[in-house]
Amino acid sequence: MPDNEMAKAYSPAEVEARWYDWWENQGYFTPRRDPARKPYTIIMPPPNVTGELHLGHALTNAVEDVLIRWKRMSGYETLYLPGEDHAGIAGQNAVEKELAKEGLSRHDLGREKFIERTWEWMNLYRPRIRYQLRRLGASCDWIRERFTMDPGPAKAVRTVFKRLYDKDLIYKGERIVNWCPRCATTLSDLEVESEEEQGNLWTLFYPLADEDDGRRTKDEGAEGSIEQSALRTPHSALGISVATTRPETMLGDTGVAVHPDDPRWRDMVGKMVMLPIMNRPIPVVADEGVDKEFGTGAVKVTPGHDPLDFEIGQRQDLPIINILNLDGTLNENAGPYAGQPVLEARAGVVAQLEREGYLLKTEPHTHAVPHCSRCNTVVEPIVSDQWFVSMKPLARPAIEAVRDGRVRIVPERFTKIYFHWMENVRDWPISRQLWWGHRIPVWYCPNGHRFASAEEPERVTRCETCGSAEIWQDPDVLDTWFSSGLWPFSTLGWPDETPDLDYFYPTDVMETGYDILFFWVARMIFQGIENLEEVPFHTVYLHGLVRDQQGRKMSKSSGNVVDPMEAVDKYGSDALRLALLTNSSPGNDQKYSDQRTEQAAHFANKLWNATRFVLSQTTDDVPAAGGGRRTADDGSSDNSKLKIQNSKLALADRWIVSRYNRIARQTTQMLEDYQLGEAGKLLQEFVWSEYCDWYIEASKTALKSEDAQVREATFDTARGVLDGILRLLHPYMPFLTEELWQHLHGWPSQNGALAADEQSIMKAEWPTAGESDDEAERDFGLIMEIIQGIRNARAEAVRDAPEQVKKEMVGRRIEAFIAGGTRTTMLKAEASTIALLARLDPQKLTIEESIAQRPEKATTLVLGGVEVILPLAGLVDLDAERKRLQAEADAAQAEIERIEARLANEEFVQKAPTQVVERERDKLTAARERLQKLRERLNTL
């Protein structure tokens, strides 16, 4: 616990180290299931157990923790449930890389030993993730921590699979899928990223199968060969020409397709053409899926290696030929190119087609090439027997849930994107050819039976159809997103009817990055509706990506990753949280700024020093734990509302109380609207500028008053508003505010006297905004305007003076006259505050309705309808300043005359290089401007 004495400067390393364990040990993170109180639940998006957390995680947890801490202080039973994801492909890849360092592969270990090794990896990195989240201040209920491979979530996975399987919403079939040769698994469309690459478009010729085309190689004579002009005619009667960006796939062609309305190829439909190299006859078919504008209007059809070709093949009953091995090399169906990698085979096929006269044209072509989002390997479409989820029936209720407002997406613009994707969704391939993950709960027997079971695998011993004991489980595992799609309810104990599920489901907010709206959010929505008949959350809050200063996505390969723990070590967790939050807005990317985090650290120190000042004002008649208590209008205790009951409040006190109430009201509304960044900026500006810079300075007059009641009233106000500030700031800066809260409430001597729900700021009530005092804000606003105007005039008066003169003049008290008009009485009452903050001589400050005897050669300011007259003779040696300025003016005049004379010389203007003449004219303009400013300054003096 902190000592009563506060250090002179804030040390985040010292402060942040002490509070987290105390909060946890006090049980503040663990909610009760209280029927009399509303629950508020956020299920943490589970970070992948593949290494350290990054800045995106830091932003995610900062946003979530702000909402949780705010709602906890607002009287809700808050559950912030932490967990981690086993990260199927990424997790397996991480372990395989470690094995490679030992010269091993997973196949060397075998499935069982490899899974044991992977669990070791998970058990190594899960504690690291916990440690990082704790340092970031995430107020999670660690008692309820979950892992996607835990028994509970695993049971939920098997149960959902079984349900969907029994409803024929999960099926197995041959479909075209994305295959990553590096990861050796199927990928969903969402796991594939297309990148624009410069390649070629090759035009190939397929001759009619029943024609003697007289084809000859380049080495043979021309006699008997096809005329090249005929070959180059796209709709030659001798055959058909097709365009492709992947010529190696022609080895697996089973047809050529044209659009039925394309007159160029109408006569070819129904004929057979000969597939070069493979010498296999294939049909020409008409299909509306063909784009008439692409290439020659005729396309080669490779149903085994292209999604569009697969669909054409299904409609036209074309056979499927797979020419690809799972390691990315060509198989025996590729003829002479079997065993070659794709790019090597491509070069060989192109060369052979050219030799044999079937390559008509090669032209540069930019096109989108699909890559694996995890390892960046080029993805190969292949036909494979995979497990799929039938998405159309599941998507419809998920669309309606967003359309009718049961689920709100923030920001709203992503709603349209959600609808577009869900309305055009394709069936979801959920099987992955991995060893790490939830194994597909389907078993087979030698009698050809297949069945799904929700039981634990070791308890499945016989075929459900024939009773055979000779059964084996499907070797594939489920897509990671299948298990994480159940996260909002599998973490609460479903499919069992648990008290947590009954109390905390549906949850409230799902906060995550916009980049996984479809990967994860959409799947959670349809899974919640399908399995619990209720949406899993009412709000989806989407944050943007955290990029580097140049706007690039952070990645290890780019070397621009910022480790959040390094930022925490340097500036503190609170500073990092505040910087990330105030630089963010829903759905928009942000550039990480080390300078912004440093500024947030300065802000923390500013608040620290303000607290030290307030507590330093404690005297015998102003007790440390006496002031700042919140009372309602009827005098009863109300610890959420600030209302200082004291008739001796100074104008500055009334002003800061009113401003605090207004800020409290605006902050709460912004949080309700999920404008967390704007709320943070509003608080930061209020604390730094209004409370610390204006109010603290203005309060010094009242704190020195001979009237004890005045001193106590101001101390009450300063302490009470500070108490409210700490409450408002707590969700953003939990460590600092807890430390200051304890000092403010007299830890440890007074802490025991506090109510149980106020012994930590975590349990304190969220502020309720009181009434605003428009008159006080208007009057003190005028005081501030006058003071700022005088400060600016003083700075302007010595702007051009030597630095030594400026330093001497900073603290000098000067004379001032204020013509206050109708505001004179109020201004006279605040004369000491004006004099203190504007650095005026109190004995030479004259405030009257009007100033009859005006000093000569004085600066006159009109501020808020009030005249302020400043004789500057007391600020600077006017005679010396006039001499200095006059000398500069004389020099500027001499330079002007010299340049004018030079430019008046026609010989110079005509013969000198143009740039030299222009440079002289620019000098003349600059000298004239300088002379004008110097004369204005002389006139002012």
Side-chain angles (χ1 to χ4, degrees):
M1 295 301 104
D3 296 327
N4 278 329
E5 292 297 322
M6 292 181 66
K8 291 184 178 180
Y10 175 53
S11 171
E14 179 183 344
V15 169
E16 293 179 1
R18 72 164 59 106
W19 287 114
Y20 197 94
D21 288 344
W22 184 75
W23 286 331
E24 187 176 14
N25 292 335
Q26 294 296 312
Y28 294 153
F29 298 157
T30 300
R32 299 169 296 164
R33 293 185 296 270
D34 185 350
R37 291 161 67 94
K38 287 185 177 181
Y40 184 87
T41 309
I42 292 179
I43 308 292
M44 179 188 294
N48 290 341
V49 187
T50 53
E52 313 290 339
L53 298 183
H54 52 66
L55 276 179
H57 293 115
L59 174 60
T60 290
N61 294 114
V63 169
E64 292 161 5
D65 201 47
V66 163
L67 295 173
I68 283 291
R69 289 179 182 270
W70 164 48
K71 289 295 185 178
R72 185 186 287 121
M73 296 174 74
S74 299
Y76 291 80
E77 285 296 334
T78 55
L79 172 58
Y80 186 17
L81 194 151
E84 305 83 31
D85 196 294
H86 66 280
I89 296 175
Q92 179 159 314
N93 282 348
V95 178
E96 288 191 271
K97 287 180 181 177
E98 291 299 309
L99 288 176
K101 295 177 183 178
E102 304 170 23
L104 298 172
S105 73
R106 61 180 167 123
H107 299 286
D108 295 326
L109 270 65
R111 185 166 191 149
E112 185 176 340
K113 291 294 184 182
F114 176 78
I115 291 175
E116 288 179 7
R117 185 69 176 264
T118 307
W119 270 109
E120 291 175 6
W121 170 273
M122 298 293 149
N123 292 332
L124 172 66
Y125 277 95
R126 285 183 66 197
R128 295 189 186 183
I129 290 173
R130 291 188 206 109
Y131 166 76
Q132 290 173 312
L133 290 171
R134 295 167 75 92
R135 288 203 65 191
L136 290 169
S139 54
C140 308
D141 181 9
W142 293 105
I143 293 174
R144 289 179 167 90
E145 181 188 8
R146 296 290 182 268
F147 182 47
T148 49
M149 294 291 286
D150 282 346
K155 181 179 179 181
V157 166
R158 296 192 303 270
T159 302
V160 169
F161 187 98
K162 170 70 170 169
R163 287 186 175 191
L164 296 178
Y165 180 88
D166 289 345
K167 294 173 71 172
D168 292 328
L169 291 174
I170 285 183
Y171 65 91
K172 192 173 189 182
E174 280 199 337
R175 298 288 186 276
I176 196 85
V177 296
N178 305 297
W179 181 263
C180 175
R182 162 62 185 83
C183 297
T185 186
T186 305
L187 305 175
S188 71
D189 291 343
L190 293 173
E191 296 168 299
V192 176
E193 296 178 352
S194 292
E195 300 176 10
E196 291 289 325
E197 292 186 6
Q198 181 63 49
N200 290 318
L201 184 66
W202 288 273
T203 302
L204 316 179
F205 182 76
Y206 291 4
L208 284 170
D210 55 358
E211 294 286 340
D212 179 9
D213 62 12
R215 172 175 50 83
R216 305 178 77 84
T217 65
K218 287 187 176 181
D219 295 334
E220 298 180 47
E223 184 179 352
S225 67
I226 297 176
E227 292 290 335
Q228 286 297 307
S229 60
L231 282 174
R232 295 181 187 280
T233 302
H235 38 281
S236 166
L238 299 173
I240 194 166
S241 54
V242 298
T244 180
T245 58
R246 304 174 66 216
E248 73 283 357
T249 62
M250 58 88 62
L251 303 171
D253 284 359
T254 57
V256 173
V258 299
H259 196 280
D261 297 333
D262 191 340
R264 295 173 295 178
W265 301 115
R266 190 171 294 137
D267 293 341
M268 291 293 294
V269 175
K271 295 185 177 182
M272 303 292 287
V273 294
M274 187 64 71
L275 180 65
I277 299 179
M278 304 304 291
N279 295 319
R280 181 170 66 239
I282 57 176
V284 179
V285 299
D287 194 280
E288 292 185 350
V290 175
D291 180 2
K292 292 186 290 185
E293 305 303 318
F294 178 76
T296 66
V299 296
K300 52 187 287 302
V301 182
T302 319
H305 299 286
D306 184 272
L308 177 60
D309 290 6
F310 178 81
E311 294 174 5
I312 292 174
Q314 294 291 294
R315 289 192 293 267
Q316 303 296 333
D317 198 26
L318 298 176
I320 298 172
I321 298 177
N322 174 30
I323 63 167
L324 195 68
N325 291 314
L326 297 183
D327 63 358
T329 60
L330 273 59
N331 63 24
E332 66 278 4
N333 293 328
Y337 296 96
Q340 294 186 9
V342 167
L343 293 181
E344 182 181 331
R346 179 178 298 173
V349 166
V350 169
Q352 184 173 350
L353 291 173
E354 186 175 18
R355 287 197 309 272
E356 296 179 358
Y358 294 119
L359 179 63
L360 303 185
K361 184 167 54 175
T362 302
E363 53 190 322
H365 180 70
T366 301
H367 62 124
V369 178
H371 291 73
C372 174
S373 62
R374 290 182 175 84
C375 68
N376 205 40
T377 301
V378 174
V379 168
E380 295 291 344
I382 63 171
V383 169
S384 180
D385 198 20
Q386 300 284 344
W387 289 98
F388 292 84
V389 173
S390 183
M391 284 300 302
K392 290 293 184 184
L394 294 169
R396 281 192 292 270
I399 291 170
E400 288 307 309
V402 175
R403 200 179 301 282
D404 63 25
R406 281 176 290 155
V407 176
R408 173 192 175 197
I409 298 177
V410 180
E412 194 274 335
R413 70 177 185 271
F414 283 96
T415 302
K416 293 181 180 178
I417 301 172
Y418 172 87
F419 286 147
H420 180 267
W421 187 78
M422 291 293 279
E423 288 166 354
N424 296 279
V425 69
R426 297 172 62 179
D427 285 357
W428 173 19
I430 56 171
S431 48
R432 299 290 180 267
Q433 289 64 54
L434 304 171
W435 288 353
W436 174 242
H438 293 280
R439 195 162 173 180
I440 289 177
V442 170
W443 281 261
Y444 307 85
C445 83
N447 299 320
H449 301 134
R450 183 177 74 191
F451 64 97
S453 175
E455 295 288 340
E456 294 181 12
E458 56 269 22
R459 298 182 63 182
V460 181
T461 58
R462 292 187 177 275
C463 174
E464 290 184 353
T465 303
C466 66
S468 173
E470 190 181 345
I471 59 173
W472 61 91
Q473 189 176 358
D474 194 298
D476 289 351
V477 301
L478 286 163
D479 180 7
T480 304
W481 298 106
F482 191 94
S483 54
S484 55
L486 316 181
W487 198 238
F489 50 91
S490 69
T491 51
L492 297 174
W494 189 92
D496 297 333
E497 295 181 4
T498 65
D500 272 3
L501 186 68
D502 179 63
Y503 186 71
F504 293 110
Y505 189 88
T507 69
D508 289 271
V509 176
M510 176 48 63
E511 190 281 340
T512 190
Y514 65 73
D515 54 331
I516 55 174
L517 176 61
F518 311 124
F519 278 107
W520 191 37
V521 176
R523 288 165 177 166
M524 284 188 288
I525 294 173
F526 82 68
Q527 291 282 30
I529 296 172
E530 171 67 20
N531 292 287
L532 285 89
E533 299 182 346
E534 198 167 7
V535 296
F537 31 73
H538 60 69
T539 300
V540 176
Y541 179 104
L542 301 173
H543 69 251
L545 303 177
V546 182
R547 300 181 178 274
D548 69 8
Q549 276 292 78
Q550 286 69 47
R552 300 174 301 171
K553 189 173 181 178
M554 292 188 184
S555 66
K556 292 181 180 179
S557 59
S558 300
N560 61 347
V561 172
V562 176
D563 183 348
M565 292 301 104
E566 291 183 4
V568 170
D569 289 339
K570 189 174 183 181
Y571 301 112
S573 172
D574 285 338
L576 178 62
R577 286 169 61 119
L578 186 66
L580 290 173
L581 287 163
T582 55
N583 197 30
S584 71
S585 60
N588 293 322
D589 293 351
Q590 65 168 286
K591 296 177 182 178
Y592 174 74
S593 168
D594 206 47
Q595 291 74 20
R596 184 181 291 272
T597 309
E598 183 178 17
Q599 183 185 36
H602 291 324
F603 170 74
N605 202 58
K606 184 89 170 180
L607 184 58
W608 179 270
N609 287 330
T611 305
R612 286 184 67 237
F613 171 79
V614 171
L615 295 181
S616 72
Q617 302 308 305
T618 300
T619 62
D620 291 339
D621 58 326
V622 182
R629 299 304 296 164
R630 292 165 163 74
T631 55
D633 293 337
D634 61 2
S636 61
S637 177
D638 177 2
N639 288 326
S640 70
K641 192 171 185 178
L642 173 64
K643 191 173 179 68
I644 308 297
Q645 301 286 351
N646 195 311
S647 61
K648 294 284 189 174
L649 288 183
L651 174 60
D653 297 331
R654 291 169 51 215
W655 167 76
I656 197 64
V657 169
S658 181
R659 289 296 301 147
Y660 164 79
N661 284 330
R662 200 178 296 276
I663 294 298
R665 186 179 304 109
Q666 292 174 339
T667 298
T668 302
Q669 186 59 55
M670 286 178 175
L671 291 175
E672 294 283 1
D673 294 337
Y674 296 99
Q675 295 297 323
L676 278 62
E678 292 304 309
K681 284 187 278 191
L682 181 74
L683 284 173
Q684 190 173 10
E685 175 62 24
F686 169 70
V687 174
W688 192 304
S689 177
E690 296 186 58
Y691 184 77
C692 294
D693 285 352
W694 282 105
Y695 176 69
I696 290 292
E697 293 304 314
S699 71
K700 291 177 180 178
T701 300
L703 289 170
K704 294 177 181 177
S705 171
E706 296 181 358
D707 188 332
Q709 287 186 312
V710 171
R711 294 198 303 275
E712 184 175 354
T714 296
F715 180 77
D716 265 11
T717 302
R719 189 177 183 283
V721 172
L722 178 58
D723 175 289
I725 285 171
L726 296 179
R727 296 175 191 239
L728 292 172
L729 269 175
H730 176 68
Y732 291 84
M733 308 182 81
F735 296 106
L736 172 67
T737 52
E738 182 70 84
E739 176 83 8
L740 297 181
W741 171 271
Q742 298 294 347
H743 282 293
L744 198 63
H745 288 275
W747 181 275
S749 59
Q750 300 292 331
N751 190 277
L754 291 176
D757 62 353
E758 296 235 332
Q759 290 189 358
S760 166
I761 195 171
M762 276 188 63
K763 305 296 286 184
E765 293 181 48
W766 182 255
T768 300
E771 297 176 359
S772 298
D773 186 336
D774 293 337
E775 180 184 37
E777 290 193 42
R778 183 178 64 251
D779 288 349
F780 198 77
L782 175 60
I783 300 295
M784 292 164 66
E785 188 175 355
I786 290 171
I787 293 169
Q788 192 60 58
I790 295 173
R791 288 174 175 175
N792 291 342
R794 289 172 63 107
E796 180 65 19
V798 297
R799 183 189 62 183
D800 297 322
E803 286 301 317
Q804 186 58 38
V805 173
K806 290 181 183 180
K807 290 179 181 179
E808 292 173 0
M809 297 303 115
V810 166
R812 180 176 294 183
R813 300 286 175 174
I814 64 172
E815 185 178 14
F817 299 84
I818 300 177
T822 60
R823 315 295 292 281
T824 302
T825 301
M826 182 275 291
L827 292 173
K828 281 187 174 182
E830 299 301 318
S832 57
T833 298
I834 296 172
L836 174 67
L837 300 186
R839 297 193 303 280
L840 304 177
D841 186 340
Q843 305 302 318
K844 295 182 180 180
L845 172 58
T846 303
I847 302 177
E848 302 292 346
E849 285 189 24
S850 61
I851 304 298
Q853 195 75 25
R854 292 171 177 257
E856 296 182 3
K857 299 180 180 179
T859 297
T860 300
L861 310 171
V862 180
L863 304 164
V866 172
E867 261 191 310
V868 178
I869 303 160
L870 298 175
L872 296 178
L875 185 65
V876 67
D877 185 338
L878 294 185
D879 288 337
E881 184 66 3
R882 288 191 197 97
K883 289 179 182 178
R884 186 183 68 81
L885 292 173
Q886 187 60 57
E888 287 191 25
D890 292 344
Q893 180 63 46
E895 184 178 9
I896 289 170
E897 292 172 358
R898 180 184 61 77
I899 297 173
E900 285 179 338
R902 194 173 192 188
L903 291 174
N905 185 331
E906 293 185 6
E907 184 178 356
F908 168 74
V909 173
Q910 291 175 358
K911 292 184 178 181
T914 303
Q915 61 269 30
V916 173
V917 176
E918 289 302 317
R919 188 161 55 245
E920 290 298 307
R921 287 172 176 159
D922 291 341
K923 288 181 181 178
L924 179 60
T925 300
R928 286 171 174 170
E929 290 176 354
R930 186 165 65 256
L931 179 61
Q932 177 66 24
K933 290 180 180 179
L934 289 168
R935 285 174 175 171
E936 289 174 359
R937 294 279 295 118
L938 279 166
N939 290 335
T940 300
L941 296 177

